[in-house]
Amino acid sequence: MRRDGESKILFLAMIGMMIPSQVIMIPVFIQLKEFPLAGGNNIWGHGGTGLINTYSGLILPYIAGAFGVFLCRQFYMNIPQALDEAAKIDGCSRIKAYAHIFLPLSKPVLATLAVLKASQTWNDYLWPLIMISNNNRKTVQVALVSTFVTEVSTNWNLLMAGTAIVMLPLVILFLFTQKYFVEGVVSSGIKG
């Protein structure tokens, strides 16, 4: 039986999944611009550029998300309660039980989450376009478009060749994590 607080938190996570990332881009941009003690900012976040034009500014918004919370929750709900009880009987603390029992069991769901987050981050075009104005820090997708697309024409053959090459790291990542990815999808209850 679900507790009341747990169901409220799950409800908030589900609402978070319904909000498109484009809706929160401007507030997140302002937060990263006013990040304290970064990019010349003082402790109150004024006077500099914050995390604009940095790799940290590209990565931080993707680290946590409602989908990851939901996916991991679904996975942990399927782990038998007897494992937790056995760890308590053996004298394990919560942290030790998590580190030695639940974390090794979590490899499939964490690999699934890593592949999905890596794919989402790697393929994103709009957020890097907003965050990075320095030509030396452009992501591959932004660089492909700015190189092969002009106002008057698009060099489709080179753009498609570049896109095929850019796709290779994700294919390699998926091949190395395929076993865990399939286990994670099956065990976390995602229907495809």
Side-chain angles (χ1 to χ4, degrees):
M1 182 174 201
R2 227 185 273 155
R3 289 169 271 182
D4 191 40
E6 181 183 333
S7 57
K8 287 179 183 176
I9 291 173
L10 178 64
F11 180 72
L12 288 175
M14 298 299 282
I15 288 175
M17 286 174 57
M18 294 179 210
I19 298 172
S21 62
Q22 292 82 1
V23 172
I24 61 170
M25 276 188 181
I26 292 174
V28 171
F29 179 84
I30 292 170
Q31 284 179 342
L32 293 176
K33 184 183 181 303
E34 296 176 357
F35 203 83
L37 303 175
N41 283 348
N42 59 18
I43 192 133
W44 293 280
H46 301 294
T49 59
L51 295 176
I52 307 297
N53 278 325
T54 64
Y55 294 123
S56 300
L58 287 176
I59 296 168
L60 278 177
Y62 289 110
I63 288 178
F67 178 71
V69 171
F70 176 72
L71 188 70
C72 289
R73 180 197 175 275
Q74 290 302 106
F75 178 80
Y76 286 123
M77 292 294 286
N78 289 330
I79 292 179
Q81 189 70 24
L83 286 176
D84 191 33
E85 293 167 3
K88 284 181 190 175
I89 291 171
D90 288 343
C92 284
S93 66
R94 287 297 219 186
I95 295 172
K96 191 174 181 182
Y98 181 75
H100 293 289
I101 297 171
F102 296 109
L103 193 59
L105 289 173
S106 303
K107 283 181 187 175
V109 73
L110 295 177
T112 302
L113 190 58
V115 168
L116 293 174
K117 283 286 193 179
S119 174
Q120 175 191 12
T121 306
W122 186 260
N123 291 325
D124 196 9
Y125 176 76
L126 188 57
W127 182 247
L129 188 64
I130 292 170
M131 281 299 291
I132 302 293
S133 60
N134 185 351
N135 284 338
N136 295 333
R137 294 185 185 224
K138 283 184 180 177
T139 61
V140 179
Q141 283 70 18
V142 175
L144 274 174
V145 172
S146 65
T147 303
F148 298 121
V149 177
T150 64
E151 289 180 17
V152 291
S153 69
T154 301
N155 206 344
W156 288 108
N157 55 348
L158 295 177
L159 182 62
M160 290 300 115
T163 303
I165 293 170
V166 166
M167 183 178 70
L168 286 177
L170 283 179
V171 171
I172 292 169
L173 175 68
F174 180 75
L175 290 176
F176 281 117
T177 59
Q178 180 181 8
K179 178 179 93 172
Y180 296 115
F181 183 75
V182 171
E183 280 181 42
V185 169
V186 169
S187 64
S188 61
I190 294 177
K191 305 281 190 245

